[in-house]
Amino acid sequence: MQEVKKRILTGDRPTGNLHLGHYVGSLANRVKLQEEYDSFIIIADVQALTTHWEKEENLTRDIYQITLDYLAAGLNPELSTFFIQSMIPEIHELTMYYSMFTSVNVLRHNPTVKTEAAQHGFKDMTYGFLGYPVSQAADISIFKAHLVPVGEDQVPHIELTRKIVRRFNDLYRPVLVEPEVLVGDVPRLVGLDGKAKMSKSLNNAIFLSDTPEDVNLKVRNAITDPARIRKTDPGHPEICTVFEYHGVFNPEEVKEIEADCRNGSIGCVACKNKLSVKLNELLDPMRERRRKYETAPELVKEILMEGTRKAHSAARETMVDVREAMHINYFDHEIPI
Ligand code: ATP
Ligand code: MG
């Protein structure tokens, strides 16, 4: 008998192209685990609307771009199922049921919700934004996922998902699976600004779709140690974003670079050049795969349609159990009159 694989559920908001932070935080794990797990990748368009409700005209483009990013990064559509959140109405139904027993205070005190609300300048959070972790709990549990590979900012949300699943299973019947979180090797890659995490919305990212020239220019303009004026001045790698990236993307040379920077024998220009070379080595095979799919847009559409169809059917199956557990399968009961 064929062994049933455990499931992965993870994904991204279609709010722009994917970047190196996504790669090291979550995508690399997805690529690595796609053979071992039955992988579902959600393109969370409804969650995108929680902050981008006035930018709806970008959604179609961003959905296709993110799919190209997945394919470029090495996700194989034969192994991974890509689907669009809004096209699975059962997710929204389950969100509504979960919201009946999830308290507003728990959401208000969620550290990621707080940070993001501040980032977006929300003084008064919308109902949809405040509730997006509940919707995420539905995204994950409707597929009975065992594992969720994500970046560090998502950890409180997976914790909440586990709580909601436990609560549901206690209240009604144990039909749902409590998922584990898997944070990537680099849980939070800093942005080119050296301040916030690298993010699609903060203009501090190196994108998987950037050309070699884009990468060279972004790295050249990255801020290094401000105290270093001349090449021979001793550097302070611990406060330098370029050095941090060497640690992630150039582990073989990082020790040597640290020593050379501290004793002033490597200048920032040479150090940045080394980094650009490494980044382009990582991105080159992605560029090649992207080109292949860019020239076949119909194929990309088919991959999305087929993935959404498969995900919809899995979600429908879970909801039969959910409705039964909650006794909202009214026409299946004996008539109580
Ligand atoms: P937005 O600015 O629109 O919120 P984002 O760049 O934060 O975009 P998301 O779609 O919110 O990206 O996140 C998708 C996944 O990528 C999540 O699992 C998140 O933890 C991970 N991720 C995003 N940015 C980073 C980063 N800089 N380092 C590590 N992981 C990250
Ligand atoms: Mg985000």
Side-chain angles (χ1 to χ4, degrees):
M1 211 179 82
Q2 207 190 348
E3 201 192 334
V4 181
K5 285 184 181 171
K6 287 191 170 181
R7 264 199 194 147
I8 275 181
L9 182 290
T10 180
D12 308 273
R13 309 186 328 139
T15 48
N17 281 93
L18 296 185
H19 51 64
L20 290 174
H22 294 111
Y23 188 72
V24 294
S26 168
L27 260 178
N29 267 336
R30 298 182 206 173
V31 174
K32 194 166 78 192
L33 296 172
Q34 63 179 341
E35 306 236 5
E36 190 184 333
Y37 285 81
D38 184 20
S39 298
F40 282 73
I41 315 287
I42 185 167
I43 303 177
D45 60 334
V46 179
Q47 196 180 317
L49 288 171
T50 62
T51 54
H52 288 54
W53 65 87
E54 288 171 318
K55 297 179 189 153
E56 77 293 347
E57 73 280 1
N58 296 337
L59 275 175
T60 309
R61 176 206 164 268
D62 286 339
I63 285 172
Y64 276 96
Q65 283 301 318
I66 230 166
T67 310
L68 282 177
D69 284 327
Y70 291 154
L71 295 163
L75 286 175
N76 174 349
E78 302 282 319
L79 298 170
S80 295
T81 303
F82 311 139
F83 68 97
I84 301 174
Q85 185 188 27
S86 65
M87 301 186 87
I88 319 287
E90 288 78 2
I91 290 178
H92 315 303
E93 181 187 352
L94 187 57
T95 304
M96 188 52 90
Y97 299 151
Y98 286 169
S99 68
M100 303 307 161
F101 57 82
T102 307
S103 98
V104 171
N105 273 342
V106 164
L107 296 167
R108 226 189 251 140
H109 294 129
N110 177 301
T112 301
V113 168
K114 280 206 249 177
T115 311
E116 289 175 349
Q119 242 172 35
H120 293 287
F122 296 158
K123 286 199 192 72
D124 182 18
M125 280 183 256
T126 63
Y127 173 57
F129 178 79
L130 181 68
Y132 91 75
V134 183
S135 157
Q136 221 171 290
D139 298 336
I140 296 166
S141 55
I142 206 163
F143 296 103
K144 299 189 175 168
H146 302 87
L147 193 68
V148 192
V150 281
E152 192 178 48
D153 59 320
Q154 296 299 305
V155 173
H157 299 344
I158 314 307
E159 247 333 292
L160 178 67
T161 301
R162 291 167 61 87
K163 279 198 188 120
I164 289 179
V165 163
R166 278 201 295 270
R167 191 80 213 284
F168 182 98
N169 286 345
D170 280 351
L171 275 171
Y172 306 113
R173 203 186 300 157
V175 294
L176 300 173
V177 173
E178 227 180 286
E180 301 286 335
V181 66
L182 176 69
V183 174
D185 291 345
V186 185
R188 181 185 177 279
L189 186 72
V190 70
L192 283 163
D193 53 6
K195 292 188 199 117
K197 77 164 184 129
M198 188 177 279
S199 169
K200 301 180 207 115
S201 324
L202 297 177
N203 203 16
N204 65 359
I206 296 178
F207 295 101
L208 304 184
S209 49
D210 277 348
T211 63
E213 296 72 35
D214 293 335
V215 171
N216 296 345
L217 187 69
K218 284 181 181 179
V219 172
R220 207 179 313 140
N221 289 334
I223 304 197
T224 52
D225 174 2
R228 242 185 138 187
I229 316 267
R230 281 175 301 268
K231 173 179 171 288
T232 48
D233 291 343
H236 302 87
E238 64 281 2
I239 56 162
C240 175
T241 310
V242 172
F243 179 73
E244 205 168 322
Y245 290 171
H246 274 294
V248 178
F249 300 102
N250 188 14
E252 308 83 26
E253 282 186 294
V254 70
K255 281 231 154 62
E256 189 189 327
I257 289 174
E258 177 170 13
D260 291 352
C261 171
R262 284 196 198 283
N263 67 28
S265 64
I266 185 172
C268 291
V269 174
C271 180
K272 286 176 167 180
N273 285 342
K274 276 178 186 284
L275 179 66
S276 296
V277 169
K278 281 286 156 188
L279 293 181
N280 283 321
E281 267 173 30
L282 172 72
L283 296 177
D284 273 339
M286 299 193 199
R287 291 176 182 131
E288 204 167 300
R289 279 191 292 263
R290 173 182 292 272
R291 264 194 297 277
K292 184 180 122 199
Y293 285 103
E294 258 172 355
T295 52
E298 283 299 325
L299 176 60
V300 179
K301 182 176 176 182
E302 232 165 76
I303 289 170
L304 273 177
M305 285 174 75
E306 178 52 25
T308 302
R309 194 200 54 72
K310 188 175 156 200
H312 197 177
S313 131
R316 262 196 297 246
E317 266 177 43
T318 304
M319 286 312 284
V320 171
D321 298 343
V322 163
R323 289 190 205 107
E324 196 177 67
M326 295 181 74
H327 290 265
I328 49 181
N329 55 337
Y330 305 111
F331 297 145
D332 299 337
H333 290 293
E334 236 175 78
I335 307 168
I337 41 176

